[in-house]
Amino acid sequence: SLYSEPPFPLRLCVSDRLFPNLMTSSEQTSQVQSLEDRVDAAHAAAAAVANELRHLIASRGRAVGIFDAFTQPIEFFDRLVSEPGIDWTQVIVFQAGEYLGESPESAFSSQRFLTEHLVLRVPIVSFQPMRGDAANPTAAAVNFSERLAATPPDLAFVSFQLVNATETNPLSEDTVGLTTIRDRLAIAITPRTLLRCRRLFALGAAPAPQGVEGHPNASIFASINS
């Protein structure tokens, strides 16, 4: 299964040390917390994202989020849509990326997964998908970049594979590019673009950060406050 459970405990951490491909500034803050249970970690991630959504809606009147469905656990989305006090009618969702060549109807489509587990379960105001099956990927990337520039995102929740990805071919300046996810070519928002968000969350397999005890190949939930 594309969304199979990882064969090791999840660890919840918040640390800028987990983003080696990103330049972080002294103004960005981080903290570290450890959770060994996979479901607990997914729920903690959902609670953190939910808190940010509530804060943004209360302070700005809306929230714009980038969500990745390449490798994210279903438990995260199940908990997020059940979180109380989120006015989803003020939330705009951008898809973080899609496997190249996959149509929205494909069983392996990230758009399909995100639609089924988030978009159709809450009354968001707008969903902005990424086209993986476009005949002209560059044109699709430019179109997506224009939509993203018109509605700058406040937060992003993505996989470590995506946030630490190295673009093999930029398609739209430094906003969207081709990268490799699970040994497959994908079109996705670049790490540099993700870091422009006010809050960046990431979840995925990574070595435990230095100074934190636990499984050496745990999954990590991380956050940077910009």
Side-chain angles (χ1 to χ4, degrees):
S1 171
L2 181 64
Y3 304 104
S4 59
E5 298 179 0
F8 40 73
L10 283 182
R11 173 179 293 282
L12 173 68
C13 291
V14 185
S15 174
D16 56 6
R17 291 172 293 176
L18 302 172
F19 299 94
N21 289 350
L22 301 181
M23 295 297 293
T24 58
S25 72
S26 59
E27 296 179 354
Q28 293 166 334
T29 60
S30 63
Q31 52 183 294
V32 178
Q33 181 184 0
S34 175
L35 290 177
E36 296 298 336
D37 183 76
R38 180 184 63 82
V39 175
D40 286 349
H43 288 174
V49 172
N51 284 337
E52 186 67 13
L53 289 172
R54 285 188 286 261
H55 169 75
L56 288 166
I57 294 168
S59 61
R60 303 186 180 188
R62 75 171 186 184
V64 182
I66 296 171
F67 287 87
D68 165 24
F70 283 120
T71 59
Q72 304 299 15
I74 292 175
E75 290 87 354
F76 167 81
F77 293 102
D78 287 345
R79 183 58 173 263
L80 182 62
V81 299
S82 67
E83 280 281 335
I86 301 175
D87 183 358
W88 288 101
T89 64
Q90 303 302 320
V91 177
I92 298 171
V93 172
F94 279 86
Q95 182 183 351
E98 181 60 275
Y99 290 110
L100 201 63
E102 293 290 352
S103 70
E105 296 79 24
S106 168
F108 296 97
S109 168
S110 290
Q111 181 178 337
R112 176 179 175 177
F113 182 88
L114 194 59
T115 298
E116 291 179 353
H117 293 283
L118 177 62
V119 176
L120 293 182
R121 298 176 67 183
V122 287
I124 64 170
V125 65
S126 176
F127 175 49
Q128 302 294 326
M130 181 85 76
R131 289 284 305 277
D133 61 343
N136 187 336
T138 299
V142 170
N143 176 270
F144 186 89
S145 296
E146 291 173 348
R147 285 181 278 148
L148 198 64
T151 313
D154 302 300
L155 67 91
F157 180 75
V158 297
S159 67
F160 262 74
Q161 289 176 296
L162 186 57
V163 80
N164 284 327
T166 300
E167 296 83 12
T168 58
N169 182 17
L171 297 177
S172 179
E173 297 182 353
D174 66 346
T175 303
V176 177
L178 292 178
T179 190
T180 301
I181 302 291
R182 286 192 166 183
D183 299 322
R184 293 193 57 190
L185 200 59
I187 180 172
I189 296 173
T190 64
R192 186 171 298 180
T193 301
L194 296 173
L195 193 59
R196 296 192 186 111
C197 295
R198 177 180 178 272
R199 193 84 183 269
L200 171 61
F201 302 91
L203 179 66
Q210 183 178 5
V212 178
E213 296 180 358
H215 196 285
N217 292 311
S219 281
I220 306 295
F221 170 56
S223 169
I224 290 180
N225 303 328
S226 298

